[in-house]
Amino acid sequence: MTRALFLLLAAGFGAAGALATTLIAAPAPGSLAPGSRCFELRTYVAPAGKLEALHARFRDNTNALFTKHGMTLVGYWVPSDADKGADNTLVYLLAFPDRAARDKAWKDFGSDPAWIAARTASEVNGKLTEKIDSLILTATDYSPMT
């Protein structure tokens, strides 16, 4: 009987854990914009002295390839404050119809021979990024951009 009770408790805790994970992972549906696009906020930190080369790669190659693969370019920024990365940080925002479109676009982009050639050529003197952060976003119901 002890073994049966243990198995029952383990199953119950497992189900509770799965439910808790689901509840934590999903934002409250009431605050989300119905049919929101999938947004991705990306932050690149360049090694010292490489930010202008990173800008050139985006300007000359990456933007056209993003568009080719269905990524909507929303905007690009650099921090204004030196202590926040003004000399080595690029922040940009992309939009996609949904998460599946985002995943497909990045997969196709990553295997595109034109991207591989552009990355290789731009990194002959070393990598242009030392850190990349990505944050996937869903618009709120009060956002002017969905």
Side-chain angles (χ1 to χ4, degrees):
M1 174 142 171
T2 305
R3 183 167 189 254
L5 180 59
F6 174 77
L7 291 174
L8 183 61
L9 285 173
F13 285 129
L19 177 61
T21 300
T22 301
L23 293 175
I24 292 169
S31 65
L32 302 181
S36 170
R37 291 179 290 171
C38 174
F39 294 92
E40 184 172 9
L41 182 67
R42 294 178 66 92
T43 302
Y44 288 14
V45 176
K50 301 279 187 175
L51 185 59
E52 284 306 314
L54 182 60
H55 287 309
R57 184 167 74 191
F58 272 88
R59 186 180 304 111
D60 301 339
N61 299 290
T62 309
N63 283 351
L65 291 167
F66 279 176
T67 301
K68 172 184 174 183
H69 292 289
M71 301 179 189
T72 299
L73 313 173
V74 177
Y76 294 87
W77 301 270
V78 294
S80 296
D81 300 321
D83 66 330
K84 301 291 184 187
D87 63 345
N88 70 344
T89 303
L90 173 66
V91 179
Y92 65 98
L93 183 65
L94 300 171
F96 307 87
D98 54 39
R99 183 68 179 257
R102 179 244 177 228
D103 295 345
K104 181 180 183 331
W106 276 112
K107 181 180 179 218
D108 293 348
F109 170 82
S111 62
D112 188 320
W115 162 243
I116 294 167
R119 183 187 62 213
T120 301
S122 68
E123 293 184 343
V124 294
N125 295 317
K127 290 186 64 135
L128 299 185
T129 57
E130 59 186 22
K131 181 180 178 189
I132 298 174
D133 287 323
S134 171
L135 181 61
I136 307 299
L137 304 164
T138 300
T140 62
D141 60 350
Y142 52 90
S143 175
M145 182 183 295
T146 58

